[in-house]
Amino acid sequence: MKIYPYKRLNRPVVLRVTSVSLRLSDGTRDQLETTAYSTQQQTVALGIAGHTDWVSATIDLSATLPPGANAPDAAWSDLRVLAVLTDGETNVRTSVDLTRDAEDGRDWSGPLEVLRDEHLGRASLAVYAVGTVDGVHGRSIAEIDRSWIVDTVSDDPVRGLQLDVQKASFRKSSREWLQAYADAPWLVDTSARVPTVFVNTDVEGVIGLLGSSGSGVDSKVRDLLVAQMATDVWTAVFHGAIGDLEVEPGSGPVFPTDWQGEVLREMLPDVFPGVQVEEALRQVHRRRTGDSGWVELQTRIHYAAVRRADATRALAYAIRSLEQMNRESET
């Protein structure tokens, strides 16, 4: 939790998406169904309509400020509510003022325009209530507790890690760096815009096993293989996410706005149970950059990856299935 040298509201702003529409290249507009956004996932998927020629999207927002925002004796004045869309990959930052729905009310609303050419994948949407406090303009009084995700590509409003899985012959790949790992069944590349898992086609049987859909021994081995791969992926993306954190002077590291931020928010509650994610991020950063604690933390990171991969369930299911097969073979 951050410490502010001025009075603020103690509760977060509540943000809702009320409608989404696309402006197409021919000038027409397509009003998307409510399945294009999810309040539970806090995600908007602009690829859901299947259009490849959309120029911009209009996202209608509604924000409710916490009680006390309009109190006569409030410590702030000149109250404004801003919606801010940030894209860490393209370095585009768009902000718009929302409008109060009723005089002295706590509900604010307005449209946010998303330009297709300014975004490649996912952007982060936040809402801030700002005002003048102690003579200082633009101080944040309250904000939403978790940013929404605006995905300009996906057709599914799901929050979480998006992966690109590619098959490649490591020995013959045009990516020369893969050739050094010719005996590895898969590798995770976290340097790309979207984390990429390269599956090595040179390892005999691995592609067929991953693609199997039967109910026999192959399926049990496949589930274990997928769980192991997922554990490796979550471990790799966590380390990739904390590898180059932006640090604000006086307040410590800040959450990235793209997939790295999502990974950290997903895994930190398991790395430091019971600790707020902001404080957990500071603890990870201190251990990574300090003199001690980093080695011990690897066990916690691996545990968090195992949980995210649901590896325990896959193992238990495989063991039960194999035991049942053994009993049937004995009868």
Side-chain angles (χ1 to χ4, degrees), residues 113-155:
E113 186 175 26
V114 181
L115 299 179
R116 173 71 176 274
D117 290 343
E118 293 183 346
H119 304 279
L120 296 176
R122 290 185 156 200
S124 177
L125 172 62
V127 168
Y128 302 88
V130 301
T132 301
V133 184
D134 297 333
V136 179
H137 299 287
R139 280 186 157 174
S140 176
I141 298 166
E143 57 276 322
I144 60 176
D145 58 357
R146 189 183 190 189
S147 295
W148 277 61
I149 296 297
V150 176
D151 196 320
T152 60
V153 179
S154 176
D155 59 0

Side-chain angles (χ1 to χ4, degrees), residues 32-90:
L32 303 188
E33 297 181 359
T34 56
T35 51
Y37 51 93
S38 168
T39 300
Q40 181 179 7
Q41 295 286 329
Q42 294 180 301
T43 303
V44 179
L46 297 179
I48 196 169
H51 293 295
T52 59
D53 59 343
W54 65 275
V55 177
S56 65
T58 299
I59 303 175
D60 290 315
L61 307 174
S62 177
T64 301
L65 303 191
N70 304 322
D73 59 347
W76 46 82
S77 59
D78 306 321
L79 186 62
R80 299 170 61 195
V81 177
L82 299 174
V84 181
L85 185 69
T86 305
D87 192 319
E89 185 176 358
T90 60

